Amino acid sequence: MSVIPLVELRDYRVRFGETIAVDGVSLSLQRGATLALVGESGSGKSLTALGIAGLAPPAARLSGSLRIDDVEMLGAPERAWRALRGARIGMVFQEAMGSLNPSMRVGAQIAEAIAAHRSLPKSDIARRVLDALAEVGLPDPHGKAAAFPHQLSGGQQQRVMIAMALAADPALLIADEPTTALDATVQAQILALLKGLLARRGLGVVFV
């Protein structure tokens, strides 16, 4: 009996006018496996990863096939993608500070991500926020939850992004160069953290 892939692309193309940015990518990813997209700058790695999350730029013209859990998502309405993002697909971007809301406390942002996809009492959401911060290795989860993003270091901000991406228990994590903005020591720490989290949770991972 064949296992349905978590993600499957077939002859996936991205065009901007007459320019082909991604040309005929085909790939398949099972839950528990890690797939790395490797290539030079401008080769379409991030465009492919963003497309898998339904975040391709509005000007992009997509063709081919993009299936999530064996459901064709190419051309799907935004409401269908919103149901997947967070609940089934978590995303970690390159620069956490640019992705976090500077005017919201860290705990409130993670709580918002959970509440958008899980019907839970406020007390359970608050507990899950603290559990998520502890899981990514942040000391004093209560203090970090009450902090604003600018009060955290770059490595701590990226750990918050990872906590937020995993807070609603997605099956797929897309990590788009998540250590680019960090120094070498912190990069190694974040990569080790991701490796441990993914092994424990059995996620499918697209790593750019």
Side-chain angles (χ1 to χ4, degrees):
M1 182 177 178
S2 61
V3 179
I4 295 173
L6 183 58
V7 177
E8 186 173 29
L9 298 184
R10 290 189 178 179
D11 202 25
Y12 181 73
R13 286 179 166 81
V14 181
R15 289 177 176 268
F16 294 92
E18 297 302 315
T19 301
I20 301 175
V22 177
D23 190 9
V25 170
S26 295
L27 59 84
S28 180
L29 176 70
Q30 301 289 351
R31 183 162 186 152
T34 298
L35 175 71
L37 300 179
V38 181
E40 63 187 11
S41 179
S43 62
K45 306 184 302 296
S46 291
L47 267 177
T48 301
L50 289 170
I52 293 172
L55 294 173
R61 289 190 297 154
L62 312 179
S63 62
S65 176
L66 164 55
R67 302 184 74 83
I68 308 290
D69 290 329
D70 207 30
V71 176
E72 181 60 60
M73 294 299 296
L74 208 64
E78 176 59 22
R79 65 179 180 276
W81 279 111
R82 283 199 299 267
L84 285 181
R85 285 194 294 265
R88 294 292 291 166
I89 303 172
M91 189 95 191
V92 180
F93 296 97
Q94 292 183 26
E95 296 189 15
M97 193 58 189
S99 302
L100 294 169
N101 186 331
S103 66
M104 286 181 67
R105 298 182 189 276
V106 162
Q109 295 189 55
I110 299 174
E112 186 176 70
I114 297 171
H117 300 285
R118 299 286 182 261
S119 297
L120 296 172
K122 288 185 177 180
S123 59
D124 287 353
I125 291 177
R127 176 182 52 78
R128 290 186 67 155
V129 168
L130 297 178
D131 288 347
L133 291 171
E135 186 180 21
V136 297
L138 283 169
D140 183 19
H142 284 88
K144 295 299 184 293
F148 289 98
H150 72 270
Q151 295 175 311
L152 306 179
S153 69
Q156 290 174 335
Q157 291 169 7
Q158 198 62 293
R159 288 174 186 266
V160 169
M161 276 296 300
I162 294 168
M164 191 180 306
L166 299 179
D169 296 323
L172 171 66
L173 179 69
I174 300 174
D176 185 9
E177 300 187 47
T179 62
T180 298
L182 307 174
D183 64 45
T185 300
V186 180
Q187 284 183 8
Q189 293 171 355
I190 295 297
L191 289 173
L193 169 66
L194 283 170
K195 183 178 180 181
L197 287 171
L198 302 177
R200 288 197 298 274
R201 286 173 171 254
L203 298 169
V205 187
V206 175
F207 201 99
V208 177

